[in-house]
Amino acid sequence: MIRDLYNVRLRPAEGAGTPLTDEEERRFRSVLFSELGNEIADQGWARFPAYTREDRRRLVDVAHRLTAYWGQQVLVEAEDQCRLRLCLAGYEVQPQRS
């Protein structure tokens, strides 16, 4: 039996997502700045997933923008391979002693 497939598209190669347009990128960074900024202001830190290099670059840029906006250092720490933590100075994760 032969079936016709309609509206079928090839998926991009693994790890190769569709890049955002300049406008989409600007809006996404703006949302990150607002949402992560509010969370950091409330509790001193925020976590966000970062699966690709571009995701990590975005979060580092947001941390730099927040630092400039608040006049207080916002640090970026890798929690694991796919998650970053943005925090104000003084809210860094302290190494656990055994």
Side-chain angles (χ1 to χ4, degrees):
M1 172 188 243
I2 296 175
R3 295 180 187 229
D4 292 330
L5 300 175
Y6 298 101
N7 295 327
V8 174
R9 288 174 260 166
L10 293 175
R11 295 184 66 192
E14 190 69 32
T18 306
L20 299 177
T21 65
D22 290 340
E23 177 64 18
E24 290 170 334
E25 184 70 32
R26 187 190 61 74
R27 288 173 37 206
F28 185 47
R29 286 178 189 235
S30 206
V31 168
L32 286 175
F33 179 82
S34 174
E35 295 296 320
L36 293 177
N38 288 338
E39 193 171 338
I40 293 168
D42 290 342
Q43 63 188 22
W45 59 273
R47 282 188 184 108
F48 202 79
Y51 300 110
T52 65
R53 287 184 183 146
E54 187 56 39
D55 291 339
R56 291 186 280 282
R57 283 187 200 116
R58 262 187 216 112
L59 292 173
V60 168
D61 180 58
V62 167
H64 288 211
R65 287 179 54 203
L66 287 169
T67 295
Y69 184 74
W70 287 335
Q72 187 173 0
Q73 183 72 34
V74 177
L75 306 171
V76 180
E77 302 171 340
E79 286 193 326
D80 54 31
Q81 290 181 350
C82 55
R83 186 172 46 190
L84 291 180
R85 183 176 193 267
L86 283 70
C87 61
L88 293 172
Y91 286 88
E92 301 94 348
V93 175
Q94 300 299 322
Q96 295 180 352
R97 296 180 183 172
S98 304

